[in-house]
Amino acid sequence: MMTPESRTAAWAARRALNKVPAVTVYFWIIKILCTTVGETAADFLSSTLNFGLTNTTYVMAVLLAVFLFFQFRARAYTPWLYWVTVALISVVGTLITDNLTDGLGVSLVVTTVVFGIALIVTFATWYAAERTLSIHSISTTRREGFYWLTILFTFALGTASGDLVAERLNLGYFPSAAMFAAVIGLIALAHGMVKVNAVLTFWLAYILTRPLGASLGDYLSQPREEGGLGLGTVVTSVLFLIAILGFVVYLTVSKRDQDVRVAAPSAHTRPSSSGRARRAAGSRYDRR
């Protein structure tokens, strides 16, 4: 039978396990790689292999559901599991937008507005329930649910807005990638030099990495006569998957992306009587 002290220790240990990686340069590199794979893999499955948009969506949605199940059951951040889930949700987010625009004929303006509103509502609900949008405290099932729903909408919104910009401005793949990279750079400067809120700048950059990765993927895979390098979806997907694998193996061994900071208790979790210091530490990170 557990004593009150042992229960307190077990509770603190569970609360300290963040389910997502620390935000390092590796995080952003792998995120962009996963985004690119999401674009090229969706095209490869639906067009190159002739699965069709609907069948590809069904297959990838089932795979995503399987990996989300194991991700939710994991006790802590596991690099390979987390990043496979991100790659799959990247593909599914792309397919959701493609189904609406290509399959149902919904305009990119409408999908951009709808997914933008859905993302705002998710953020508002998340904050109302948890009083934080920080990814340094994804340590409960409810917070993780909000996190992955937000990720899904960022990919869908990024796909819609990226395609909208590409169609309206007709910049071409490489100039589009350069433009999105420049905007992300400005956001990084706003955070680093002007001290704009870290949570806001993180999520803005996260959304914009989707059209950045998609533009890179299209630039590498599309034929030369259409403004690409002509590598094809197969070669591009394989190259980026190998790169993702290399980074994930490195991070698994080095643990350079392990976020060891203690997460703040959620409103529905009963803290121990000795948890005042942990609450103070956690609340600091929640604001970051």
Side-chain angles (χ1 to χ4, degrees):
M1 184 175 179
M2 295 182 65
T3 64
E5 291 77 13
S6 62
R7 283 196 297 270
T8 298
W11 175 87
R14 289 194 300 271
R15 298 296 304 158
L17 298 177
N18 200 28
K19 298 289 292 295
V20 303
V23 181
T24 65
V25 65
Y26 301 107
F27 176 92
W28 292 113
I29 291 173
I30 303 176
K31 167 60 167 61
I32 293 172
L33 291 172
C34 287
T35 296
T36 305
V37 167
E39 178 74 12
T40 57
D43 291 343
F44 171 69
L45 292 171
S46 62
S47 300
T48 307
L49 293 185
N50 293 318
F51 274 17
L53 197 56
T54 302
N55 290 334
T56 301
T57 303
Y58 289 152
V59 171
M60 299 310 297
V62 170
L63 282 175
L64 175 60
V66 170
F67 276 89
L68 277 175
F69 172 78
F70 288 107
Q71 170 66 28
F72 274 95
R73 285 180 61 86
R75 291 288 303 277
Y77 164 64
T78 305
W80 73 267
L81 180 58
Y82 174 86
W83 287 113
V84 169
T85 306
V86 170
L88 288 172
I89 208 168
S90 172
V91 176
V92 172
T94 299
L95 290 169
I96 290 174
T97 299
D98 288 346
N99 273 282
L100 290 172
T101 55
D102 298 337
L104 299 178
V106 181
S107 74
L108 288 169
V109 174
V110 173
T111 54
T112 299
V113 171
V114 168
F115 286 129
I117 293 173
L119 187 59
I120 292 171
V121 170
T122 303
F123 278 136
T125 307
W126 182 356
Y127 189 81
E130 300 291 344
R131 311 308 299 174
T132 178
L133 300 176
S134 172
I135 69 165
H136 298 306
S137 57
I138 309 301
S139 54
T140 68
T141 299
R142 186 166 70 177
R143 287 187 179 189
E144 191 172 8
F146 282 125
Y147 176 80
W148 287 113
L149 184 60
T150 300
I151 298 302
L152 178 63
F153 284 139
T154 63
F155 277 116
L157 174 61
T159 301
S161 59
D163 290 348
L164 178 62
V165 170
E167 288 188 7
R168 288 291 175 88
L169 300 181
N170 196 25
L171 290 178
Y173 300 128
F174 186 77
S176 294
M179 181 190 69
F180 287 118
V183 175
I184 292 172
L186 290 175
I187 292 172
L189 288 175
H191 170 59
M193 299 182 64
V194 189
K195 305 303 179 185
V196 177
N197 182 268
V199 173
L200 173 63
T201 53
F202 169 83
W203 286 113
L204 286 176
Y206 199 99
I207 293 169
L208 288 172
T209 54
R210 172 62 186 81
L212 170 60
S215 298
L216 288 174
D218 287 336
Y219 176 65
L220 292 171
S221 64
Q222 295 304 308
R224 292 181 181 274
E225 58 269 20
E226 296 181 12
L229 292 182
L231 296 181
T233 56
V234 177
V235 173
T236 304
S237 298
V238 169
L239 288 176
F240 277 71
L241 284 171
I242 291 173
I244 292 170
L245 177 62
F247 277 111
V248 171
V249 169
Y250 169 72
L251 293 174
T252 300
V253 174
S254 67
K255 302 187 184 303
R256 294 289 297 274
D257 63 340
Q258 301 291 320
D259 194 341
V260 298
R261 291 172 288 193
V262 177
S266 60
H268 61 80
T269 306
R270 181 182 60 85
S272 66
S273 59
S274 60
R276 187 173 302 166
R278 285 193 300 275
R279 287 198 300 271
S283 62
R284 287 198 301 273
Y285 292 121
D286 274 357
R287 291 192 294 269
R288 295 182 59 182

